[in-house]
Amino acid sequence: MILPRIILPILLLGGSALAADFEPLREVVQKAVAKGKPQGAVLWIESGERKTTLVEGQRAVDPTKEAMTEDTLFDAASLTKVVATLPCVMRLMQDEKIHLEAEVRRYLSEFRGGITVRHLLTHTSGLRPGIPKEPAWSGYDAGIRRAVELEPEGPPDRFFRYSDINFILLGEIVRRVSGMPLNEFAAKTVFEPLKMESTRFLPPADWRARIAPTEKDENGVMLRGVVHDPTSRKMGGVTGHAGLFTTAGDLAKYARMILNQGEGVLKPETVKLMTTPHTVATVFERRGLGWDMDSQFSRPRGKAFPIGSFGHTGFTGTSLWIEPQSKTFVVFMSSRLHPDGGSSVRDLYEEIGTAAAQGMAFAPRTEPPWPRGEKEVPMVLNGIDVLARRKFADLKGLSVGLITNQTGIDAQRRSTIDLLAAAPDIRLKKLFSPEHGIRGELDQLKIGDSKDKKTGLPVLSLYGERKAPTAEQLADLDALVFDVQDIGCRFYTYIGTMRVCMEAAAKAKKAFFVLDRVNPIGGLAVEGPAAVDEEKVTTATHAIPLRHGMTAGELAMMMNAERMLGCDLRIIPVEGWQRGMLHDQTGLPWINPSPNMRSLGEALLYPGIGLLEFSVSVGRGTDTPFEVLGAPYVDDLRLSYELNKLGLAGVQFTPVRFTPTASVFKGEACGGVRMAITDRTALKPVDVGVAIICALQGLYPKEFKLSLVDTLLNRAASVKAVRGGESWKKVVGGWNEELAGFVERRRAFLRY
């Protein structure tokens, strides 16, 4: 319906809504327009069956006054990003023509590496906010060229920086992948199916009378029907970040599509994907794909709409905010730049959002994302942090035994022992310690029972005469809780301890909780033989490869299912961890999981270098265990030369001489190599370990104790192949089939 062009404010009521329902909202907008900030506005709100359209003030005051009307077209500015570019990208993603984690250069071959489509969509690419005016340029191709060539201001995933360049590039990706200009593809796949008949780039001349002007350009010409954004104007008016013209009514159609699970345009799973947070946990701001959720730009959320709602704003005074729980959306379109660019509506966005949500009730969140505290440091949350955030509800009323050590801490370095001991309605009755003891300070073959000094609780060792809790020790418990940081390597004994404890819990019919923790060396890469000669030893507790790429919780699920343990297993998950993350990308503090595991670099090398620890010195008793290795008989210059000649990815060898003060060759001068990681992504530590084994066997067949490699490798046939002179590549290649089988097996148990 087109309203008469009159100057008095008009309130339009739709459906069965009562004026009183949105009276506070009407007052907020009328008050702002009365002050000329902005000159005029159209507000459209729907909440379930209730809906109201409010039209206030002037569409234009220069050169003459024109009353605002419901069908006024506005320069949408950055709403272009989420109303045009985003659904086009998602449609192509839905059709598997664009992939979220693919590098941008897959679609724009001239672009740099390392930046993905997700980085562009979440504004975490590190790219600059916009294309500089100088040196002077013009034209679409020139704009794309400048966007591609500009150096980022930082690496991706380190910080949120709102950038028009991100969406300029996305618009170009749509053009190249679809084979159609962005405006045509958006019209075909979004605007026409939704009958958004007053929405388009480059509006025709006969629409001009309905278009709200913005301000004068650099030549003194009032912009009306011409995009305000100077970069989009230089590029011809069709760009991924700006250029769209639309009405409040058409945006209402678009918002309904989102609330109706993409009906007519996108699949429900695609809508869910783009309205889920995708910024990494170490970035304070939360963004979906394109959509803003929780950042300094979230003003339209107001003070009442909950986390989980989403929207966007535009520089010209436009905004769209959607709250799925109550099926509410608020569209606000204003002439805030008219006539001289002087007024701001930032505070008005917040006032509108707050007033719109007045009287609405929202269920408290039971899953992330959670509201952030002002001083909260953004980071990944381990299971103990999640349990604490849930106020320990999972363990309420239970008598528990805790399997832990010094790695059982929360993000504030508070001990899990202390947290559970102090938690209300939880009875922490005893502690169980794995290898290295309850405080991780012991490096010995057997550890006895003791008492925790702070809590007075008994500490029962699982690295002595017994390896698992006895039936008597479990009799007065309801559950066992496991909170130990694994290192991501099969022969690290903590996972073996977890398995035998699960077996004991299953036999005693006790629940078993795993407070999950990140895999510090990542969850993508897997390496090494995935079958073992002998199971049920703590260094080969299950048929998994040397580098398994799973969390403790995921491994618990796998072992429970594949070994048919029948354990009442409950996982308190990690939040915010992505499988490609290494520990130093999580924001969490590092704590040595064992006395000789002192850094992430050592942990990354360990699945390969650890294989040699019974045959040569691997640096135990030095300042850098697992970063150096050698033996008294080794010529350090020769070994370094031979290893570098292999061209192993991600590592560089330098000759070194050292005298370990502990373990193999204690007190003896050793020649060897120091290993420096040059590319963490390319590094394959098991390849490195096997290559070193083959090199040492070739150079020193009499001195090198090859047979002891099988202590942790647990694959006699591979050791035999090395003894027979096989190359390291052939040895590693012999595991390919079983490794592929493991990758398929583990798929069912991956939670993250």
Side-chain angles (χ1 to χ4, degrees), residues 46 79-90 186 189-191 194-196 199 244 246-263 265-266 271 274-275 289 291 310 312 320 322 329 331:
E46 294 187 12
L79 287 188
T80 302
K81 295 178 172 74
V82 294
V83 178
T85 309
L86 175 63
C88 290
V89 170
M90 300 308 296
T189 59
V190 183
F191 308 149
L194 294 178
K195 294 182 170 52
M196 295 170 66
T199 301
L244 191 69
T246 189
T247 65
D250 274 5
L251 287 181
K253 294 175 182 177
Y254 183 76
R256 289 187 208 110
M257 179 272 291
I258 299 294
L259 288 174
N260 291 329
Q261 301 298 304
E263 186 178 18
V265 176
L266 300 170
V271 173
M274 73 177 180
T275 57
L289 300 181
W291 296 106
F310 51 89
H312 212 281
L320 168 63
I322 301 174
F329 66 82
V331 175

Side-chain angles (χ1 to χ4, degrees), residues 75 78 81 128-134 137-147 150 163-169 218 223 226-243 315:
D75 180 338
S78 283
K81 295 178 172 74
R128 302 180 186 194
I131 301 173
K133 297 178 182 178
E134 302 296 336
W137 62 275
S138 66
Y140 184 86
D141 292 342
I144 296 299
R145 188 162 56 250
R146 291 296 306 277
L150 286 170
S163 168
D164 286 341
I165 294 176
N166 290 323
F167 273 76
I168 290 171
L169 294 172
E218 57 275 12
L223 295 171
V226 176
V227 61
H228 176 269
D229 182 87
T231 300
S232 184
R233 224 181 314 143
K234 284 184 180 182
M235 294 178 69
V238 179
T239 51
H241 73 296
F315 184 78

Side-chain angles (χ1 to χ4, degrees), residues 8-63:
L8 294 175
I10 299 173
L11 178 66
L12 302 177
L13 298 177
S16 59
L18 301 175
D21 289 347
F22 297 107
E23 181 64 23
L25 191 58
R26 183 181 70 83
E27 290 177 359
V28 165
V29 177
Q30 281 189 333
K31 184 177 178 181
V33 171
K35 294 178 180 179
K37 296 183 178 182
Q39 292 289 341
V42 178
L43 184 107
W44 191 304
I45 177 171
E46 294 187 12
S47 183
E49 297 300 316
R50 302 182 307 149
K51 55 184 177 181
T52 288
T53 305
L54 175 66
V55 180
E56 291 284 344
Q58 312 300 316
R59 175 161 62 207
V61 295
D62 183 3

